Amino acid sequence: MEITIEGQKRPEGSKPNALRRQGLVPAVLYGHQGAESINITIPTKVAETLLKRNVVNHTLIQLNVPDLSWSGKTLLREVQKHPWKGFPYHLSFFSVAQQESLTVSIPLHFVGEAAGVKLEGGLLDVVLSELEVECEPGNIPERIDVDVADLHQGQALHIRELNLPAGVKATGDAEQVVVSIIHPERGDEGGVEG
């Protein structure tokens, strides 16, 4: 999924709180020219819609800044929200070139009913709910499906055993347990076999 938004260059000397009162969210764009960053603003309504549809460090965003004649693909790297009101306070965008590879976190989606739960009365113990992967910006998966149907009590799936889409590589420890089936009485002390 890709989203397109438009930002404006932030006026010199403008105060963040004054911008927020004007219905704008202060933001920064970096990575578009090496280490240089530029201060921009995004309309608050656009920022709120973006945050409903975007996962930080996951969704590609086409960002256009007409007054700088800049347009490119970005990732939303950081979101700061007001501590108790919850509205967006500051956004950080990172420019990505098509040929670069990125490290992003992808949600894991568990499918199937584990034999160890259905037939043996075990409990599904989810250790990781998302996986950090490396891939090209145009190849970011929405989610990674993890089939648990063949798991029995005392068994586990490790990162190395996941079926990842082409061009997507896990960055974590290949031996890290993703999900296991544990005995309900022993909890996680029952031991897990690979």
Side-chain angles (χ1 to χ4, degrees):
M1 177 172 64
E2 187 178 302
I3 301 166
T4 300
I5 63 169
E6 196 164 287
Q8 298 85 34
K9 186 173 190 291
R10 191 154 82 195
E12 289 290 324
S14 59
K15 302 278 187 242
N17 284 334
L19 292 169
R20 292 182 191 108
R21 284 192 295 273
Q22 294 169 28
L24 300 170
V25 177
V28 66
L29 167 65
Y30 59 99
H32 70 297
Q33 290 180 346
E36 183 186 329
S37 66
I38 54 170
N39 293 320
I40 58 174
T41 60
I42 307 290
T44 302
K45 296 265 187 238
V46 171
E48 288 170 347
T49 302
L50 176 67
L51 295 178
K52 286 179 190 162
R53 298 174 56 202
N54 176 66
V55 178
V56 173
N57 237 353
H58 178 198
T59 310
L60 271 183
I61 301 161
Q62 176 67 35
L63 176 62
N64 304 321
V65 188
D67 45 351
L68 293 174
S69 300
W70 188 87
S71 180
K73 295 189 184 319
T74 64
L75 278 178
L76 183 58
R77 280 285 200 211
E78 185 182 11
V79 175
Q80 295 173 16
K81 290 187 176 182
H82 191 278
W84 59 89
K85 293 182 183 173
F87 59 80
Y89 213 63
H90 189 273
L91 305 176
S92 296
F93 294 93
F94 178 73
S95 171
V96 295
Q98 263 325 100
Q99 70 279 4
E100 290 180 44
S101 78
L102 299 171
T103 301
V104 292
S105 293
I106 306 298
L108 296 177
H109 180 248
F110 297 93
V111 294
E113 190 172 357
V117 172
K118 185 174 164 183
L119 305 173
E120 301 161 10
L123 298 172
L124 189 72
D125 182 27
V126 175
V127 179
L128 295 178
S129 59
E130 58 182 28
L131 181 67
E132 195 171 89
V133 299
E134 193 175 286
C135 60
E136 292 179 356
N139 195 28
I140 301 173
E142 291 275 326
R143 67 183 194 195
I144 295 170
D145 288 335
V146 179
D147 187 354
V148 296
D150 293 333
L151 277 184
H152 293 274
Q153 258 190 63
Q155 291 184 323
L157 269 177
H158 301 83
I159 287 177
R160 65 179 154 73
E161 299 169 296
L162 295 178
N163 187 11
L164 300 177
V168 176
K169 187 178 103 188
T171 61
D173 176 7
E175 297 305 315
Q176 165 76 46
V177 171
V178 175
V179 60
S180 64
I181 307 297
I182 57 175
H183 190 280
E185 291 161 14
R186 289 186 262 169
D188 57 358
E189 294 172 20
V192 173
E193 298 170 10

